[in-house]
Amino acid sequence: FVLLHVLFEHAAGYALFAVKEVEDIGMLLPQVEQSVLNLGKFTSVIKLSAFFPFKSAQGALENINAVSEGVVHADLKLFLETNLPSGGKKKAMLGVSDAKLGAALQEELNLSIQTGGVVAEVIRGVRLHFHSLVKGLTAQAASKAQLGLGHSYSRAKVKFNVNRADNMIIQSIALLDQLDKDINTFSMRVREWYGYHFPELIKIVNDNSTYCKMAKLIGNRKELTEEMLEAIEEITMDSGKAQAILDASRSSMGMDISPIDLINIESFSSRVVSLTEYRQGLQEYLRSKMGQVAPNLAALIGEVVGARLISHAGSLTNLAKYPASTVQILGAEKALFRALKTRGNTPKYGLIFHSTFIGRAAAKNKGRISRYLANKCTIASRIDCFSEVPTSVFGDKLRDQVEERLAFYETGDAPRKNLDVMKEAVVQAGEVAAEIKRKLEKKEKKKKKREKRKLEALSTAEGDDEEEANGEAEVQMSNTSSRGKKMNKTCFKY
């Protein structure tokens, strides 16, 4: 009677191995260690008891997903129930590599599970000699199955939820920061370049984007007339500034400029303006993406600051794992380690300093509000990471709580209890989630109806084509028969 069976999960299927000649599991460990590399010795220790090949690539993917999550798949349950020996005085022991899967099997099938020790050595040997232990399985076929399943598993993980991919947010915020630096640098270059010709414009127009638009519109200041006043006012959004620009152009101290230089300045200004417009579009994209991926964090602290936190953490999941104390000083690592080294005061805030709450707080309350805000950011990020239906209900409620705490520091008005606020939020979130699910179901039904109509239209069209083909064939046959009759009549006449 075999006391120990070992379960091995392979890309080709499930295998159950029986460890032979065992009385005491502890005594077997050195013997297994010596025989792992030698196939002949290893086969004397273990024997293939049963093998369950996966029927399709989809089935293999479903089973491996279940194994990775520590869930007992129906195929695995049936395989073990069928092949594990039942009855006897001593209970059969099953060895598995993953402790999480072992716990699930113990709960599901009431088995005695062993992980580590001799089981780890046996599985190491099985992995090494698997294609030799299973009849009809070659090393090439086994490696192909592993490669195919590996690709499918990775692809499924990447495509887990396209709409909630936080790596797009990380790239967007990085590009937004880069664009801010580049637009600032290019705008200063336009100011310096065009300033040779019209230096007074720098003092009148402060905004970089507006200055580039003005440089593109005005061109040669000597050609600026009253007719262009309306166009200038449209850009500056200020009639006083427009008139000041016109007056300054008439008495400017700037040097004259050649047409070719002016063309280059206008071309460069156009590029800077287009970059500014693209930046605005990118910010809208980031806002919509944050609404899909982390709506609560965006509602609480804003899209840009929330995106910076996700980017700095590496992903939304990483941010959700961080404690509030880490989120509070995220982005101020240099200051933290410098303070620890010099035994000075540690920083009170990092990236969350850019939030409006800390700016509005009094100097003595900045540290307190940053700690409170970091706490709420941690809650919001965890809700966003693990909720099935993304809603901004919790984010709005958490924002109200921070507002109340800010008012408490200033006026002394007691804020609402967290328990009461969260109860309200849970009720509202449930209603919103139900509404979203209802809309999605409705949309799915419409999609199915549309597809059904298309299929019906295609089948009708195919039926009409067949009828036409049959009709043509009948006409051809009748024509052929009539020709035959005419030929017969002619022959009889002769």
Side-chain angles (χ1 to χ4, degrees):
F1 183 71
V2 178
L3 290 178
L4 178 66
H5 286 81
V6 175
L7 174 68
F8 182 68
E9 311 93 17
H10 192 267
Y14 293 119
L16 190 67
F17 291 92
V19 181
K20 297 187 287 183
E21 300 171 4
V22 183
E23 289 183 2
D24 189 359
I25 298 297
M27 291 171 64
L28 186 68
L29 189 57
Q31 184 186 344
V32 175
E33 285 177 352
Q34 290 168 11
S35 64
V36 158
L37 299 173
N38 190 322
L39 180 61
K41 285 183 180 179
F42 192 66
T43 49
S44 67
V45 176
I46 70 154
K47 179 188 175 185
L48 180 67
S49 181
F51 180 64
F52 175 77
F54 295 130
K55 293 175 184 176
S56 64
Q58 185 63 34
L61 183 60
E62 286 174 9
N63 276 277
I64 205 70
N65 278 329
V67 167
S68 67
E69 289 165 14
V71 178
V72 181
H73 194 270
D75 292 346
L76 178 59
K77 187 179 177 182
L78 181 66
F79 173 65
L80 291 174
E81 283 177 345
T82 309
N83 296 292
L84 270 178
S86 58
K89 291 180 181 179
K90 288 189 178 181
K91 204 174 186 181
M93 191 177 284
L94 179 68
V96 292
S97 57
D98 186 21
K100 195 177 176 184
L101 180 66
L105 284 167
Q106 192 170 9
E107 190 180 340
E108 189 86 18
L109 300 171
N110 194 24
L111 296 170
S112 180
I113 302 293
Q114 185 180 346
T115 55
V118 70
V119 174
E121 291 298 326
V122 169
I123 287 173
R124 188 161 69 90
V126 168
R127 192 180 291 112
L128 186 66
H129 306 296
F130 186 72
H131 57 276
S132 304
L133 295 168
V134 178
K135 288 181 182 178
L137 184 70
T138 61
Q140 191 178 3
S143 67
K144 274 186 180 179
Q146 286 175 328
L147 186 67
L149 184 59
H151 283 177
S152 302
Y153 181 74
S154 303
R155 205 178 299 119
K157 284 290 177 190
V158 171
K159 290 183 177 178
F160 191 66
N161 193 337
V162 178
N163 294 324
R164 300 188 72 177
D166 49 9
N167 50 359
M168 299 300 166
I169 288 171
I170 294 166
Q171 295 300 327
S172 300
I173 195 68
L175 180 56
L176 203 66
D177 291 341
Q178 189 64 47
L179 278 174
D180 284 336
K181 289 177 186 175
D182 292 346
I183 289 167
N184 192 39
T185 308
F186 295 155
S187 300
M188 294 310 293
R189 181 65 55 213
V190 172
R191 280 174 179 272
E192 192 178 340
W193 200 355
Y194 192 66
Y196 293 132
H197 177 60
F198 193 180
E200 290 80 9
L201 187 64
I202 296 170
K203 291 181 180 178
I204 299 166
V205 180
N206 296 319
D207 184 57
N208 287 336
S209 176
T210 311
Y211 185 90
C212 293
K213 287 177 184 176
M214 289 306 306
K216 183 184 172 185
L217 176 70
I218 295 167
N220 193 340
R221 70 167 195 278
K222 291 181 180 178
E223 294 173 5
L224 193 62
T225 58
E226 293 278 351
E227 294 170 0
M228 295 175 72
L229 194 65
E230 193 178 336
I232 294 168
E233 193 178 330
E234 194 177 330
I235 292 169
T236 57
M237 306 294 286
D238 189 347
S239 56
K241 273 188 182 180
Q243 190 61 48
I245 290 165
L246 188 64
D247 296 340
S249 67
R250 288 167 183 167
S251 58
S252 177
M253 297 291 289
M255 59 181 274
D256 291 338
I257 197 165
S258 65
I260 188 70
D261 294 333
L262 200 60
I263 287 166
N264 277 287
I265 292 169
E266 285 177 0
S267 175
F268 187 47
S269 299
S270 301
R271 295 292 175 91
V272 178
V273 169
S274 66
L275 268 178
T276 309
E277 288 170 357
Y278 172 68
R279 190 208 172 279
Q280 289 171 354
L282 185 67
Q283 193 158 11
E284 285 299 318
Y285 164 73
L286 181 64
R287 187 175 285 112
S288 67
K289 205 73 188 166
M290 279 295 288
Q292 291 174 353
V293 178
N296 292 299
L297 190 63
L300 172 62
I301 205 168
E303 290 84 8
V304 175
V305 182
R308 284 189 208 285
L309 286 172
I310 291 169
S311 176
H312 200 84
S315 70
L316 182 62
T317 310
N318 288 352
L319 183 65
K321 288 175 184 176
Y322 285 161
S325 56
T326 306
V327 173
Q328 185 182 345
I329 56 166
L330 207 64
E333 288 84 3
K334 279 186 181 178
L336 174 68
F337 292 122
R338 187 171 62 244
L340 293 171
K341 193 176 179 181
T342 58
R343 295 188 180 181
N345 293 329
T346 53
K348 294 175 183 174
Y349 28 70
L351 289 168
I352 60 169
F353 177 76
H354 298 289
S355 169
T356 55
F357 295 116
I358 294 169
R360 283 160 52 196
K364 64 177 182 179
N365 295 324
K366 282 187 188 293
R368 295 164 78 187
I369 201 72
S370 69
R371 188 166 61 250
Y372 190 79
L373 182 61
N375 185 15
K376 297 302 173 188
C377 284
T378 308
I379 293 168
S381 62
R382 287 170 187 174
I383 292 166
D384 286 328
C385 184
F386 301 111
S387 61
E388 290 180 7
V389 181
T391 62
S392 62
V393 174
F394 285 98
D396 294 331
K397 292 289 182 185
L398 292 170
R399 187 181 180 86
D400 292 342
Q401 279 190 293
V402 179
E403 291 280 3
E404 286 173 12
R405 183 53 62 109
L406 205 59
F408 169 68
Y409 290 146
E410 289 172 5
T411 61
D413 295 336
R416 289 178 295 169
K417 285 186 178 180
N418 188 52
L419 186 65
D420 299 334
V421 176
M422 287 298 108
K423 278 180 180 177
E424 285 178 27
V426 167
V427 172
Q428 286 184 24
E431 289 171 1
V432 172
E435 183 66 23
I436 290 168
K437 282 181 180 177
R438 192 180 60 77
K439 283 180 180 177
L440 287 170
E441 284 171 5
K442 199 175 180 182
K443 199 175 180 181
E444 194 67 30
K445 281 179 183 178
K446 282 182 179 179
K447 191 179 177 182
K448 282 180 180 178
K449 278 182 181 179
R450 220 177 289 122
E451 286 174 358
K452 195 177 179 182
R453 282 172 192 167
K454 279 183 183 178
L455 288 168
E456 284 174 359
L458 283 167
S459 60
T460 310
E462 284 173 6
D464 292 342
D465 291 341
E466 283 177 10
E467 284 176 12
E468 284 178 14
N470 291 334
E472 285 174 7
E474 285 173 8
V475 169
Q476 284 177 1
M477 284 174 71
S478 61
N479 289 340
T480 309
S481 60
S482 61
R483 280 178 199 158
K485 285 176 183 177
K486 283 179 182 178
M487 288 287 287
N488 289 338
K489 285 178 183 178
T490 311
C491 290
F492 283 131
K493 281 178 184 178
Y494 285 111

